[in-house]
């Protein structure tokens, strides 16, 4: 989004048009919608900006629910924004420790600041990009506890706050198509600055879940978070925000709750054991946190091969930290064998999961020619070091 587009949206005509689109929807022929709005006398640039916002708001409901219907977004800002449920979890940490004045440095479109302000935290949100800062100002307007500053995170005054939240920019600058930064030294603000502040003030730092573990400071709590089965972030907590005795944590957020697996450090793996009746696929947060060994012990299970995150046991246990499958059949990982199996079992809908094998599941599925009337799930992996296909069903 360009500055001129944002300015036009923030006018009374712009807000009215957005409300009209929210009521009427944008489904159907986009050309007819544009023609209708232009005939009604709306400026073409405003129409384009409003339609873009309507589409972004529709996508934003995945992260922000009904709040998205009054928010403004950029494409990049929405992609990088914290999901509302995770943001509420972040804010809850500060509330639990009685921290009431927080600087959100690198606030983006304001998702985390919204959650903090909703919990009566006085939040100062700082954003370096002018357009994004203006959008955050709009999104935070309903909250008297929040205000936005357009400026660099490194220049923020921290004398009046008792805690900090960082979400360093991990993509190239821009409001639409951006590229992921692979070198943490290119983050904005720099991690050197972030970790320096974290040593002085209670701090939460949001990073990508694949962040290099070797760069995690020794004196912080590292918490990997998954939402509905997808690992979405790594949170680092310092000072009183870090829980005593917790160095590694895997938090699993879903409609069923928010269970968490914690440990002082990476857990020791269980030894490989023979394939049993059940296969457990640990949640990605558990894998990232390297707590598979602790999970295995709670399930009386063990890995099916060295370096493979799948666990197996003859016992079935319900756990929020893994998906449980019953093993139906064990086959060699041979394309011809599996093609015959698919045909012989009249398979038409085929789910392929894999770990520890260099195979593209989508391309492999096509080559197996599933054209029947039944469905199946196949796990391509290694069992005791050998490439194997496991036919499974969810238990």
């Amino acid at each position: 989004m360009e500055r001129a587009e944002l300015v036009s949206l923030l006018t009374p005509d712009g807000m009215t048009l957005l409300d009209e689109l929210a009521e009427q929807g944008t489904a159907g022929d986009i050309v007819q919608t544009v023609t209708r709005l232009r005939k009604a006398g709306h400026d073409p640039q405003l129409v384009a900006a409003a339609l873009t916002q309507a589409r972004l708001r529709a996508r934003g409901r995945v992260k922000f629910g009904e709040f998205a219907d009054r928010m403004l977004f950029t494409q990049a800002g929405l992609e990088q924004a914290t999901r509302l449920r995770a943001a509420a979890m972040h804010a809850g940490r500060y509330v639990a420790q009685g921290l009431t004045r927080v600087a959100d440095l690198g606030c983006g479109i304001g998702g985390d600041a919204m959650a903090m302000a909703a919990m009566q935290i006085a939040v100062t949100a700082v954003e370096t990009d002018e357009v994004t800062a203006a959008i955050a100002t709009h999104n935070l307007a309903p909250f008297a506890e929040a205000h936005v500053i357009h400026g660099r995170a490194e220049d923020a005054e921290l004398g009046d706050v008792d805690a900090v939240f960082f979400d360093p920019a991990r993509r190239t600058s821009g409001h639409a198509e951006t590229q992921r930064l692979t070198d943490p030294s290119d983050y904005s603000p720099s991690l050197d600055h972030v970790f320096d502040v974290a040593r002085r003030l209670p701090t939460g730092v949001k990073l990508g879940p694949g962040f290099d573990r070797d760069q995690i400071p020794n004196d912080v709590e590292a918490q990997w978070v998954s939402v509905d089965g997808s690992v979405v972030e790594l949170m680092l907590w310092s000072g009183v925000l870090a829980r005593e005795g917790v160095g590694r944590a895997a938090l699993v957020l879903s409609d069923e709750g928010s269970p968490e697996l914690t440990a002082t450090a990476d857990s020791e793996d269980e030894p490989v054991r023979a394939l049993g009746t059940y296969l457990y696929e640990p949640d990605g947060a558990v894998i990232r946190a390297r707590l598979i060994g602790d999970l295995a012990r709670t399930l009386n299970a063990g890995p099916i091969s060295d370096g493979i995150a799948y666990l197996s046991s003859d016992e079935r246990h319900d756990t929020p930290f893994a998906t449980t499958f019953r093993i139906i059949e064990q086959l060699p990982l041979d394309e011809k064998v599996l093609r015959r199996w698919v045909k012989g079992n009249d398979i038409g809908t085929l789910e392929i999961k894999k770990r520890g094998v260099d195979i593209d599941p989508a391309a492999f599925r096509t080559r197996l020619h599933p054209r029947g009337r039944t469905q199946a799930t196949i796990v391509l992996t290694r069992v005791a070091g050998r490439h194997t296909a496991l036919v499974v069903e969810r238990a």
Side-chain angles (χ1 to χ4, degrees):
M1 178 188 295
E2 300 299 326
R3 187 177 188 277
E5 293 176 312
L6 177 62
V7 170
S8 68
L9 280 175
L10 292 175
T11 63
D13 285 346
M15 291 291 102
T16 299
L17 181 54
L18 280 175
D19 289 342
E20 178 184 337
L21 288 173
E23 292 177 2
Q24 298 180 0
T26 58
D29 191 327
I30 189 66
V31 175
Q32 290 182 2
T33 301
V34 170
T35 301
R36 172 175 59 82
L37 294 175
R38 288 184 178 180
K39 283 184 176 179
H42 296 294
D43 178 77
Q45 183 184 46
L46 176 58
V47 170
L51 286 171
T52 297
Q53 278 302 308
R55 289 192 294 268
L56 290 173
R57 282 179 167 182
R59 290 171 49 197
R61 293 188 191 107
V62 174
K63 287 188 173 184
F64 294 98
E66 62 184 17
F67 293 101
D69 294 339
R70 57 150 299 275
M71 296 174 66
L72 292 179
F73 301 98
T74 65
Q75 177 181 323
L78 176 57
E79 290 172 353
Q80 298 170 49
T82 304
R83 289 162 174 79
L84 184 60
R85 187 166 185 182
M89 179 272 294
H90 300 162
R93 283 248 184 172
Y94 294 87
V95 171
Q97 296 302 323
L99 302 170
T100 59
R101 295 169 295 131
V102 177
D104 180 357
L105 305 183
C107 70
I109 62 172
D112 275 291
M114 287 172 56
M116 293 180 192
M119 294 188 183
Q120 307 304 309
I121 293 174
V123 56
T124 300
V126 179
E127 173 54 45
T128 186
D129 180 78
E130 180 184 19
V131 169
T132 306
I135 287 176
T137 300
H138 171 85
N139 293 340
L140 288 164
F143 302 98
E145 296 82 1
H147 71 281
V148 179
I149 296 175
H150 172 220
R152 298 172 68 246
E154 294 90 338
D155 299 331
E157 293 291 336
L158 301 179
D160 293 332
V161 301
D162 49 22
V164 179
F165 182 88
F166 279 107
D167 186 357
R170 301 181 295 281
R171 302 185 71 90
T172 54
S173 61
H175 305 133
E177 299 296 333
T178 60
Q179 302 296 317
R180 188 177 302 278
L181 297 171
T182 57
D183 187 348
S185 64
D186 294 330
Y187 291 177
S188 179
S190 70
L191 287 186
D192 286 342
H193 177 75
V194 169
F195 292 152
D196 177 65
V197 172
R199 284 188 288 269
R200 295 184 282 114
L201 287 168
T203 299
V205 184
K206 177 188 170 185
L207 297 169
F211 181 74
D212 184 357
R213 295 169 60 92
D214 291 338
Q215 296 196 46
I216 298 175
N218 294 326
D219 56 350
V220 302
E221 175 190 333
Q223 180 190 46
W224 283 263
V225 181
S226 74
V227 178
D228 297 328
S230 297
V231 190
V232 297
E233 66 185 24
L234 162 64
M235 284 300 306
L236 304 181
W237 302 101
S238 78
V240 296
L241 291 170
R243 293 169 291 184
E244 186 175 354
V246 178
R248 298 288 183 263
L251 178 64
V252 178
L253 301 178
S254 71
D255 291 340
E256 283 70 46
S258 54
E260 188 175 27
L261 198 61
T262 64
T264 57
D266 296 356
S267 68
E268 182 179 350
D269 288 336
E270 282 288 285
V272 173
R273 66 173 60 182
L275 196 65
T277 304
Y278 294 96
L279 185 75
Y280 294 94
E281 181 182 31
D283 185 271
V286 176
I287 296 172
R288 292 283 189 181
R290 294 187 183 171
L291 299 180
I292 299 174
D294 284 349
L295 175 61
R297 285 181 279 279
T298 67
L299 301 173
N300 193 23
I304 63 175
S305 191
D306 286 327
I308 299 297
Y310 289 125
L311 304 171
S312 185
S313 171
D314 283 323
E315 304 170 10
R316 182 187 182 282
H317 297 276
D318 291 326
T319 174
F321 302 114
T323 302
T324 307
F325 299 91
R326 186 173 69 87
I327 299 172
I328 300 172
E329 193 171 352
Q330 182 175 349
L331 300 168
L333 206 172
D334 180 280
E335 189 172 319
K336 292 181 179 179
V337 171
L338 293 176
R339 190 181 300 119
R340 286 196 299 269
W341 185 90
V342 167
K343 182 178 181 180
N345 287 274
D346 198 27
I347 304 300
T349 302
L350 181 61
E351 177 187 22
I352 296 181
K353 306 175 75 67
K354 67 127 182 183
R355 188 172 296 278
V357 295
D358 186 16
I359 291 176
D360 178 349
F364 194 73
R365 181 189 302 108
T366 299
R367 296 199 300 271
L368 296 183
H369 307 310
R371 297 169 183 166
R373 294 170 294 178
T374 62
Q375 60 185 16
T377 298
I378 295 179
V379 177
L380 309 180
T381 187
R382 297 197 308 270
V383 175
R386 294 185 177 182
H387 286 82
T388 303
L390 300 174
V391 181
V392 301
E393 64 179 7
R394 283 171 170 79

